Amino acid sequence: MPDQTLTITDNRTGKAYTVPLYKDAVRALDLRQIKTGPEDFGLLSYDPAFLNTAACQSAVTFLDGERGILRHRGYPIEQLAAQCSFLEVAYLLLNGELPDAAQLGQWTRDVTHHTMIHENLKKFMEGFHHDAHPMSMLMSTVAALSTFYPDARNVHDPEVRKLQITRLIGKMPTLTAYAYRHSLGLPYVYPDNDLGYTNNFMNMLWRRTEPKFSANPVLARALEVLFILHADHEQNCSTSAMRAVGSSFADPFATTAAAIAALSGPLHGGANEEVLRMLDEIGSKDRVPAYIAQIKAGHGKLMGFGHRVYKNYDPRARIIKQVAEEVFEVTGRNPKLDIALELERIALEDDFFIKRKLYPNVDFYSGIIYQAMGFTPDVFTVLFAIPRTAGWLAQWQEMLQDPEQKIARPRQIYTGQPVREVVRIAERRTQPACR
Ligand code: ACO
């Protein structure tokens, strides 16, 4: 008998059941034995939007939302952001340990080797309309990578997996930069393998006619820190999409495209773009109270506020605020910062937000920094997708190696019609459409 158990009494039958507890959780399948009779399927757990259901065991990221703690493989996010490069953190997520100097050198060479994309993919991108959203372009081109690398289908071979992971991490900045330049009508810039990950990305984004691009070191470090802060966040919507799609053994390009799709929504990664739109709509500091009153009256949400897990300050938002100051020393202060600070000040004092434990999340300040650095709001979410690819792939790899995982296939509680006969079309009466 396990040490810890739970006794459940079924008041329909009066029967008591003892179920084991595993790491303070009940295995939902243990509820199936609770039945009213032999015909009964057994008890299900019902948890729309997974508010209280662990779908996996994971050793990648620890998050304590009540205390505002985020750690990757045991390392606090504050230390990783202060002391590491993005590629070190990506290595850590994927391999479980920080690399030593030789490992980092090899990893950097491997990723750099894979920054180029096939010329046909460039042509594929040229087919997009001039105003195509960069996130939609990224999603489509990442999915298209599986047509170039059919070997990726062999998801059970660790060497094949490693190659696709390196390819994806190497190519994400290139695809993103091409999508960005496509939307501006600028020619694509090839990767420069002399440059580091973020410097090379900035080169592909912003090089014009100069023979060699050199990024401002403060801005390059700020982007590096932003990448680290976005690298993983345990079982959020896009990571859950990655795991669910990957559980069917779809190749990693198709799977990552699904995660990008999930990230694009305004309630998830798309929120950073929405924050900027909201700040534009507010327009000035003095209009903040009226805007908050409108939110409290039920008209919309304060974008960049609230989180499913953090019920205390998002630790990433705290670091981002600091990065913002450093960036503004170089770029000049983004006037939207004053509106954002006022919005935060008023919201944090307001009972409506306090009661609901709504604090700024990672997206509240990231957009203001990105805008000051010269990005347009429609690329903010692709800037999120580049580093998150490391987290998605770490979780995907973990899922594939977990002997407990099977194809993701939730149950449902059917609420539709009971069985009925099809009536011939001439005899049917018009019915109101179902939702
Ligand atoms: N502004 C105003 N009210 C809010 C907000 C907000 N940003 N977020 C939640 N609430 C309210 C809800 O209306 C609800 O109120 P009620 O109890 O009166 O019905 C209460 O707070 C609880 O909110 P839920 O929607 O139940 O919280 P949930 O965990 O489902 O949602 C989410 C989390 C999606 C992040 C939500 O807070 C939100 O929509 N925020 C704005 C979008 C955003 O910033 N998303 C980025 C999240 S971070 C990321 O994905 C990288």
Side-chain angles (χ1 to χ4, degrees), residues 267-268 271 301-306 308 356 358 361 363 384:
L267 295 188
H268 191 13
K301 280 184 167 179
L302 200 53
M303 298 314 286
F305 256 71
R308 169 62 57 77
R356 292 171 175 79
L358 300 172
N361 58 50
D363 287 328
F384 189 154

Side-chain angles (χ1 to χ4, degrees), residues 49 51 230 233 236-237 263 265-272 275 295-296 300-309 311 314 316 352-353 356-358 361-364 384 388:
L51 292 177
H230 286 89
H233 212 232
N236 53 77
C237 178
L263 187 72
L267 295 188
H268 191 13
N272 53 15
V275 170
I295 299 283
K296 285 166 63 180
K301 280 184 167 179
L302 200 53
M303 298 314 286
F305 256 71
H307 198 275
R308 169 62 57 77
V309 182
K311 300 302 171 193
D314 181 338
R316 300 167 301 171
F352 176 94
F353 296 93
R356 292 171 175 79
K357 298 187 173 178
L358 300 172
N361 58 50
V362 69
D363 287 328
F364 191 65
F384 189 154
R388 184 53 60 86

Side-chain angles (χ1 to χ4, degrees), residues 281-356:
E281 190 189 327
I282 297 173
S284 62
K285 237 171 104 172
D286 55 302
R287 293 177 60 185
V288 168
Y291 192 82
I292 295 221
Q294 186 188 312
I295 299 283
K296 285 166 63 180
H299 305 298
K301 280 184 167 179
L302 200 53
M303 298 314 286
F305 256 71
H307 198 275
R308 169 62 57 77
V309 182
Y310 289 124
K311 300 302 171 193
N312 193 323
Y313 212 91
D314 181 338
R316 300 167 301 171
R318 191 171 281 130
I319 301 169
I320 283 189
K321 240 173 130 172
Q322 206 178 307
V323 173
E325 295 302 337
E326 288 158 22
V327 168
F328 296 154
E329 295 236 329
V330 176
T331 62
R333 198 175 164 89
N334 185 336
K336 297 210 176 68
L337 181 67
D338 292 327
I339 307 174
L341 287 170
E342 183 68 353
L343 206 53
E344 179 183 347
R345 190 186 66 77
I346 297 184
L348 293 185
E349 284 173 358
D350 194 301
D351 224 34
F352 176 94
F353 296 93
I354 295 170
K355 231 173 54 205
R356 292 171 175 79

